[in-house]
Amino acid sequence: MTPFPVANRLHQVGFDRAELTQILNLYGRMVAAGNWRDYAIDLGRDAAIFSAFRRATERPEYRIEKRPELRNKQGQWVLVGEGGAVLKRGHELGPVLAPVERKLMKLVAG
């Protein structure tokens, strides 16, 4: 009998329920506004990444990254734009998502 390989998941970074709820809430509203159509979640040793796509065949429009090793420095949350530029960093998820929230408000109002 071979044991299940649990050792690899001990060092894996992930989103907790509250974080994932906040991210998926924003994703759902962006889908309803017609801006996003697909997403991907990548859980690795260094980071957990949520990528949101306009279309499945493109680069992600936004990446929301959780990097716990930066928790005591510049904040564990990073919002990365389509071109790879860091748009916002922070210690809390809400303020990091603020630029996307503002874009959503413009889409709904306009």
Side-chain angles (χ1 to χ4, degrees):
M1 185 178 279
T2 305
F4 191 71
V6 179
N8 291 341
R9 290 202 273 159
L10 292 177
H11 302 289
Q12 185 177 15
V13 177
F15 299 109
D16 66 27
R17 183 180 298 252
E19 295 164 349
L20 195 56
T21 299
Q22 193 172 359
I23 292 169
L24 288 175
N25 183 9
L26 175 62
Y27 173 78
R29 290 183 286 136
M30 291 296 275
V31 167
N35 200 36
W36 290 349
R37 299 212 187 325
D38 200 7
Y39 72 92
I41 296 177
D42 181 26
L43 306 175
R45 286 181 177 262
D46 299 328
I49 303 171
F50 181 94
S51 303
F53 298 85
R54 279 188 226 129
R55 290 176 203 84
T57 59
E58 295 182 348
R59 289 185 287 177
E61 183 177 8
Y62 290 105
R63 286 191 335 254
I64 302 161
E65 300 182 1
K66 179 181 180 182
R67 297 186 173 274
E69 73 271 3
L70 299 177
R71 180 181 299 129
N72 296 327
K73 296 178 183 173
Q74 48 200 332
Q76 70 176 346
W77 294 101
V78 182
L79 179 66
V80 180
E82 189 171 5
V86 173
L87 303 176
K88 186 98 172 167
R89 289 185 188 273
H91 296 279
E92 300 289 326
L93 179 57
V96 171
L97 296 178
V100 183
E101 294 278 355
R102 281 192 296 273
K103 182 176 181 177
L104 177 63
M105 292 300 171
K106 289 178 186 175
L107 288 172
V108 173

